[in-house]
Amino acid sequence: MGDIDRQRAEKLMQAAGLDALVLFQPEAFRYAVGAPAGVATMWGRAGAAIALVPADPSVSLGAVASDHAAGLIVEKAPSVDLRSHRIWIDRVDMTGAETVADIDPLYKRSGLAGPRPETFDRVASFNLLFDLLKERNLVNGRIGVDLEFVPAADFEALKRALPNIKWVDGSDVLRRLRAIKTRPEIDRLRRAASAAEGGLTRMMEIIKPGASVADLSAAWKAGTHDTARTHGFALSGHWDFISVGPDLSDMSAIVRPGALIKADVGTLVDGYSSDGARTFSYGQVAPLAQDIFKALEAAFAAGLEDIKPGNSFGAVHQTMLMSMRRDGFGEYYRGHFGHSVGGSVGIEEWPFFSADNPEIIEVDMVVALEAPFYGENFGALMIEDQFLVTPTGVDCMNTMPRGLFDTSGREA
């Protein structure tokens, strides 16, 4: 099954006046159903996969997905009421076939005979959704849709196809659901953070004059996979933003003595991405870089003290910005100092540690706190760690010291 908390979903939907959520975003489908949405979602259109989450937790989840994805969904989420539609991929079980003449009967026997659409049939998908809604007495309901994902043209088509339903934006309900993590989600994020750190440890070993951005990235990736294998899990993806030296966009840069090296990295475990960063050098950096890093350390420490249940995301931003002001940075305006992490689209999830953000920090949120400085013709410095919010504060998912690492033999 998925990671969605049906009881919490019920409360949030009741507060929003919703009878159900209908989710089209592939990551939201997986979150609700507990299985991948399938290859048809690569078109970025609504209808390839649909998850139906009734507000009443006693009513079963429903799903619409391609016949290509159906087998895995049934295996991973057998209790979900699944309806499947045909997509462009033609395949047939060839068990027992000995000649070409045996193949057509196999198509017919398995129910796979007949033409297939160019990609997928949106009308067919919406009709299957209608069936699920009708069986749950929701065809005249007020239904929330993840409109932050759904293309405008597809939403108009949905309203035409199911005109009796009052379709409203359910994106806020989905965001609030995803902001509080379940135990399995927290475990994935812990493992992802540990793999990313294993990669940074490996990367440190090759930081020396002449090493390229590509060399550092390759070492980091190798270290992440080795760490994951050692601890008995696999990665579903990884990403890295590594800069070397004064030109932050120079992907051909090589390590030179005293150059700043920033590594902002993450790995994915079952689609859940970690987010963390450290700053390195080979040899002592310039005094100005040391002063900037000290200011970032102070801001990070100040913000970390404010991450506790009941405080607001905006208060953390204000604390960190004021710390930078005290250290002389009067024109440093960081849009956010971190964010939630999880399995949604992209690395950074809502809510953010941004100015005046009234959202309240809650237990079982997993957040990344970051303090960066980017200077063109200078270099990048950054500290970022991942934390689980606990009843008394935070539990750090990282173990590496947060200092400015001089890999030539001592910490700068």
Side-chain angles (χ1 to χ4, degrees):
M1 288 294 292
D3 293 297
I4 195 167
D5 182 334
R6 294 293 302 275
Q7 280 67 42
R8 189 159 179 270
E10 178 185 25
K11 293 177 182 177
L12 288 171
M13 280 191 263
Q14 284 180 345
L18 300 180
D19 298 303
L21 283 174
V22 166
L23 305 175
F24 293 94
Q25 184 187 71
E27 292 82 1
F29 178 95
R30 184 169 185 167
Y31 172 69
V33 172
V39 68
T41 59
M42 72 179 178
W43 307 109
R45 302 302 299 269
I50 310 169
L52 169 62
V53 184
D56 183 349
S58 69
V59 178
S60 65
L61 294 173
V64 176
S66 71
D67 54 354
H68 185 265
L72 184 58
I73 294 172
V74 170
E75 176 187 333
K76 289 185 171 292
S79 65
V80 172
D81 184 1
L82 175 66
R83 313 296 165 89
S84 64
H85 59 92
R86 296 165 71 83
I87 60 172
W88 74 99
I89 299 173
D90 181 281
R91 67 176 181 176
V92 63
D93 184 348
M94 293 290 285
T95 302
E98 295 181 359
T99 69
V100 170
D102 296 327
I103 297 176
D104 280 356
L106 292 175
Y107 274 103
K108 294 172 183 176
R109 191 178 308 152
S110 60
L112 296 172
R116 290 184 171 274
E118 179 181 73
T119 55
F120 72 91
D121 187 336
R122 185 179 64 186
V123 173
S125 297
F126 288 171
N127 286 340
L128 292 170
L129 173 61
F130 176 80
D131 292 341
L132 289 170
L133 290 166
K134 184 178 180 180
E135 292 166 15
R136 289 158 177 77
N137 297 313
L138 292 170
V139 290
N140 294 301
R142 190 169 188 268
I143 310 293
V145 180
D146 50 346
L147 288 184
E148 288 186 338
F149 167 79
V150 176
D154 291 338
F155 186 53
E156 290 302 315
L158 177 67
K159 290 189 291 184
R160 289 194 300 270
L162 288 78
N164 293 329
I165 291 175
K166 182 172 178 54
W167 298 104
V168 298
D169 190 3
S171 301
D172 186 64
V173 171
L174 178 60
R175 284 199 306 264
R176 293 182 184 283
L177 271 171
R178 301 211 67 167
I180 307 297
K181 302 298 188 287
T182 62
R183 292 299 109 183
E185 290 178 292
I186 292 167
D187 181 61
R188 291 177 206 134
L189 290 166
R190 281 192 189 279
R191 286 182 285 162
S194 70
E197 278 202 339
L200 288 177
T201 300
R202 179 73 59 82
M203 191 190 82
M204 286 176 62
E205 297 172 359
I206 72 157
I207 295 178
K208 56 192 63 175
S212 67
V213 173
D215 294 334
L216 301 183
S217 177
W220 176 76
K221 290 172 186 173
T224 66
H225 286 286
D226 287 348
T227 301
R229 280 192 294 269
T230 298
H231 291 89
F233 63 92
L235 301 180
S236 60
H238 44 65
W239 56 268
D240 63 86
F241 297 107
I242 298 172
S243 68
V244 174
D247 185 343
L248 305 183
S249 59
D250 183 5
M251 293 297 98
S252 64
I254 62 173
V255 174
R256 301 182 189 281
L260 291 170
I261 302 159
K262 181 268 298 178
D264 186 2
V265 297
T267 70
L268 282 73
V269 174
D270 293 335
Y272 280 69
S273 179
S274 67
D275 193 2
R278 291 293 185 269
T279 306
F280 306 91
S281 69
Y282 185 88
Q284 189 169 7
V285 300
L288 178 56
Q290 296 181 42
D291 290 342
I292 294 171
F293 195 82
K294 287 177 184 177
L296 296 177
E297 286 182 305
F300 189 96
L304 185 55
E305 283 292 317
D306 272 1
I307 300 179
K308 56 190 68 173
N311 207 355
S312 74
F313 279 77
V316 176
H317 183 276
Q318 177 72 4
T319 293
M320 294 180 72
L321 194 62
M322 289 303 99
S323 177
M324 295 297 288
R325 293 285 181 270
R326 287 192 296 272
D327 282 325
F329 293 80
E331 288 297 325
Y332 175 92
Y333 285 96
R334 175 71 182 174
H336 71 259
F337 285 106
H339 46 83
S340 178
V341 290
S344 190
V345 174
I347 305 158
E348 301 181 351
E349 285 190 353
W350 178 94
F352 291 82
F353 293 111
S354 55
D356 303 319
N357 185 348
E359 294 301 322
I360 299 301
I361 299 167
E362 297 184 62
V363 172
D364 287 339
M365 286 182 166
V366 180
V367 297
L369 186 70
E370 59 188 60
F373 183 90
Y374 303 110
E376 290 292 344
N377 301 310
F378 181 79
L381 304 104
M382 190 172 185
I383 307 166
E384 184 173 22
D385 270 344
Q386 190 167 292
F387 301 91
L388 169 67
V389 179
T390 69
T392 58
V394 293
D395 172 18
C396 187
M397 294 184 174
N398 302 92
T399 60
M400 289 184 74
R402 299 184 186 120
L404 176 55
F405 291 94
D406 176 357
T407 63
S408 67
R410 61 185 178 86
E411 185 174 299

